[in-house]
């Protein structure tokens, strides 16, 4: 299933032609295919059938309430990294009992909010965080359920160094050689309930091998803990499951499953996974309108009304996204172009050196596979208004976030008297 099919020369999402959608809601615009979102969730879940599974969808990939609510109704939990994501997940109807809280820098307020809500577990990333959480739990007279996030020193092969989080020398996780000590301490505290162990090695990983290695090492630690009288309820293998952005292939979930299912069954453990991009990446499309086409120094630039403020991935990570016209232009010359945005930075681009049918001003284009880390990383830089988001679901077209206005832009600002 693809979110967009071309018929009569125009891209459609379900029954709706993208040029009609753009005419109604304006551009730049994020469009989501609800059926595909659901299919991706079910595909993921099915790959791990046979485990007692909690899919903790990673809210950072895309936190729109409407999407979270659809996932909640499919049974999804949430992986959150801030008080804001906690509030979002709860507001969207994800039960606290299906929420895990990760992040190397949770504040005292955020830890307190997680306890208040009664979340399933905290993935604790340092000794200091563990001590702080314990003090807050004591003060509140509650027990915090914890997993330690272990840094296994696995160098994951992600496309960009910024999205590798599994090696020693990153801010993430507790070094493996400190793990046993910290678990012993946690197990001795009445206000802490040692519940699990967690790892997350990086994002956009299409090779199953690092997961196999992480699984081996996690289960070895789980056994060692159990042998010491510290039995766990769950293992959390994190997220990072890569999707296909071009003609590359996505992660082989069957291989990942083969590496974890036998062990979780044998050990009677619950399995938590934190996919973000795998669930929401492909279902999202960014629609932009061409403003100008110009040449400068031997290069051709297609300047659109969307750029790094709408989709930061190309600029920030060198991320590749397929771009194509909404309406085919039979006979148009194929030209190597940079598709760029209106932001005043040379790093403001959606695609570089791409051979595409040269569009004309006024044409619409799509940027594919933009559902994950698209809107959620959008900004107001250059005082640009963040785009609207629209969902195709149940045969209808739903505005799930209105376009920002100038009032949104200056909300909260004050000129001193
Ligand atoms: N769990 C933890 C602890 C994470 O840090 C992340 C992502 C995930 C799960 C979900 O990863 P996913 O399944 O979506 O790959 N902005 C970057 C990706 C940053 C990922 C940060 N952590 C990008 O656009 O490529």
């Amino acid at each position: 299933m693809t979110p967009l099919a071309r018929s009569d020369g125009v891209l459609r999402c379900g029954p709706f032609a993208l040029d009609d959608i753009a005419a109604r809601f304006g551009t730049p615009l994020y469009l989501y295919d609800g059926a595909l979102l659901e299919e991706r969730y079910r595909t993921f879940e099915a790959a791990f059938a046979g485990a007692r599974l909690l899919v903790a969808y990673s809210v950072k990939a895309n936190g729109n309430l409407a999407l979270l609510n659809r996932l909640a109704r499919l049974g999804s939990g949430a992986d959150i990294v801030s008080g804001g994501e906690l509030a979002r997940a709860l507001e969207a109807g994800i039960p606290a009992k299906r929420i895990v809280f990760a992040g190397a820098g949770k504040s005292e307020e955020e830890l307190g909010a997680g306890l208040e809500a009664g979340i399933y577990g905290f993935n604790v990333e340092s000794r200091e965080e563990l001590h702080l959480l314990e003090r807050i739990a004591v003060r509140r007279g509650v027990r915090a359920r914890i997993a330690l996030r272990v840094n296994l020193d696995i160098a994951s092969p992600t496309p960009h160094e910024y999205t590798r989080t599994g090696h020693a020398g990153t801010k993430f996780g507790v070094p493996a050689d400190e793990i046993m000590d910290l678990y012993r301490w946690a197990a001795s505290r009445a206000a802490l309930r040692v519940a699990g162990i967690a790892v997350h090695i990086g994002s956009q990983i299409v090779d199953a091998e690092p997961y196999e290695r992480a699984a081996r090492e996690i289960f070895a630690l789980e056994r060692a803990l159990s042998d010491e009288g510290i039995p766990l309820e769950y293992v959390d293998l994190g997220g990072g499951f890569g999707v296909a952005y071009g003609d590359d292939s996505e992660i082989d979930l069957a291989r990942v499953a083969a590496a974890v299912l036998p062990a979780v069954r044998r050990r009677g453990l619950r399995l938590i996974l934190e996919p973000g991009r795998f669930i929401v990446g492909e279902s999202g499309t960014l629609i932009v309108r061409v403003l100008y086409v110009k040449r400068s120094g031997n290069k051709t630039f297609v300047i659109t009304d969307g750029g790094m403020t709408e989709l930061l991935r190309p600029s920030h990570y060198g991320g590749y996204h397929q771009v194509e016209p909404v309406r085919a232009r039979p006979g148009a010359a194929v030209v190597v172009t940079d598709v760029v945005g209106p932001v005043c930075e040379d790093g403001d681009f959606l695609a570089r050196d791409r051979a595409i049918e040269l569009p004309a001003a006024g044409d619409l284009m799509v940027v594919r596979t933009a559902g994950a880390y698209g809107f959620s990383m959008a900004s107001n830089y250059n005082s640009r208004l963040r785009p609207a988001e629209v969902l195709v679901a149940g045969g209808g077209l739903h505005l799930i976030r209105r376009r920002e206005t100038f009032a949104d832009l200056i909300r909260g600002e004050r000129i001193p008297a």
Side-chain angles (χ1 to χ4, degrees):
M1 193 168 176
T2 125
L4 308 172
R6 196 177 285 280
S7 69
D8 296 332
V10 64
L11 287 177
R12 291 168 200 275
C13 182
F16 304 103
L18 264 59
D19 42 10
D20 292 338
I21 298 176
R24 179 154 159 212
F25 297 100
T27 56
L29 182 72
Y30 271 103
L31 174 69
Y32 304 101
D33 180 339
L36 182 57
L37 179 75
E38 178 167 339
E39 184 192 278
R40 294 295 287 181
Y41 181 85
R42 291 195 193 284
T43 298
F44 190 86
E45 197 180 45
F48 297 93
R52 279 195 297 130
L53 178 68
L54 173 63
V55 179
Y57 166 71
S58 196
V59 173
K60 66 177 82 63
N62 189 321
N64 184 287
L65 291 181
L67 304 185
L68 290 183
N69 175 260
R70 292 185 81 78
L71 292 173
R73 285 187 276 138
L74 294 172
S76 184
D79 151 50
I80 58 160
V81 290
S82 69
E85 288 190 350
L86 173 63
R88 234 174 223 296
L90 294 173
E91 178 74 23
I94 295 178
K97 286 280 164 275
R98 285 194 233 139
I99 295 178
V100 291
F101 199 159
K106 306 176 194 77
S107 71
E108 184 163 350
E109 291 70 36
E110 289 174 321
L111 291 169
L115 282 175
E116 178 80 37
I119 63 167
Y120 186 71
F122 292 86
N123 290 346
V124 174
E125 302 216 18
S126 67
R127 181 180 302 271
E128 290 189 0
E129 181 192 339
L130 187 65
H131 286 210
L132 176 60
L133 180 60
E134 196 259 351
R135 287 199 300 278
I136 303 170
V138 168
R139 209 186 303 141
R140 288 173 172 258
V142 295
R143 223 171 172 208
R145 290 169 54 83
I146 63 115
L148 295 183
R149 173 169 171 184
V150 56
N151 185 318
L152 296 169
D153 193 14
I154 293 178
S156 57
T158 75
H160 195 276
E161 58 171 321
Y162 293 170
T163 52
R164 287 168 215 151
T165 53
H167 55 287
T170 69
K171 68 179 174 183
F172 298 102
V174 177
D177 58 359
E178 293 176 27
I179 276 284
M180 294 303 281
D181 252 11
L182 218 48
Y183 267 114
R184 286 181 202 117
W185 183 82
S188 74
R189 311 310 294 180
L192 297 178
R193 167 87 184 96
V194 174
I197 186 163
V199 67
H200 169 77
I201 52 178
S203 189
Q204 181 55 16
I205 301 168
V206 293
D207 181 0
E209 199 276 329
Y211 286 102
E212 293 168 340
R213 197 178 137 205
R216 271 195 310 277
E217 298 193 20
I218 276 289
F219 289 115
L221 284 167
E222 183 275 326
R223 263 191 316 276
L225 286 163
S226 165
D227 290 348
E228 277 206 21
I230 306 177
L232 302 182
E233 295 169 30
Y234 66 85
V235 296
D236 179 343
L237 277 183
F241 310 98
V243 302
Y245 278 100
D247 42 22
D248 47 342
S249 55
E250 68 179 29
I251 182 108
D252 181 356
L253 288 182
R255 257 185 74 189
V256 179
V260 295
L261 292 185
V264 288
R265 285 210 212 98
R266 198 169 52 242
R267 308 286 303 164
L269 294 162
R270 188 174 195 192
L271 175 64
I272 300 183
L273 297 168
E274 304 173 354
R277 188 183 330 249
F278 189 92
I279 306 289
V280 79
E282 289 171 6
S283 72
T285 302
L286 175 64
I287 308 176
V288 296
R289 192 177 289 280
V290 176
L291 299 175
Y292 307 101
V293 178
K294 79 182 207 188
R295 285 188 58 80
S296 169
N298 271 342
K299 287 190 69 152
T300 302
F301 293 92
V302 170
I303 302 174
T304 79
D305 60 2
M308 67 188 290
T309 39
E310 285 67 38
L311 182 66
L312 185 61
R313 302 196 68 263
S315 159
H316 193 54
Y317 310 106
Y320 175 93
H321 289 261
Q322 237 172 284
V323 294
E324 61 185 282
V326 163
R327 210 166 253 290
R329 294 182 123 246
V334 173
V335 177
V336 175
T337 58
D338 281 12
V339 181
V340 303
V343 172
C344 298
E345 300 231 7
D346 200 46
D348 175 32
F349 56 88
L350 296 170
R352 274 195 158 163
D353 295 325
R354 211 64 75 72
I356 55 169
E357 289 171 17
L358 194 66
D363 285 3
L364 293 165
M365 297 184 74
V366 293
V367 184
R368 286 189 184 255
T369 321
Y373 309 104
F375 190 94
S376 66
M377 296 183 83
S379 80
N380 292 118
Y381 185 44
N382 276 204
S383 283
R384 289 172 52 76
L385 307 174
R386 285 182 301 169
E389 295 179 282
V390 165
L391 171 70
V392 172
L397 200 51
H398 310 274
L399 180 65
I400 58 172
R401 183 185 172 108
R402 65 162 173 77
R403 187 174 301 284
E404 287 184 337
T405 63
F406 288 105
D408 293 324
L409 210 53
I410 55 172
R411 183 189 58 208
E413 292 182 35
R414 297 281 181 280
I415 299 173

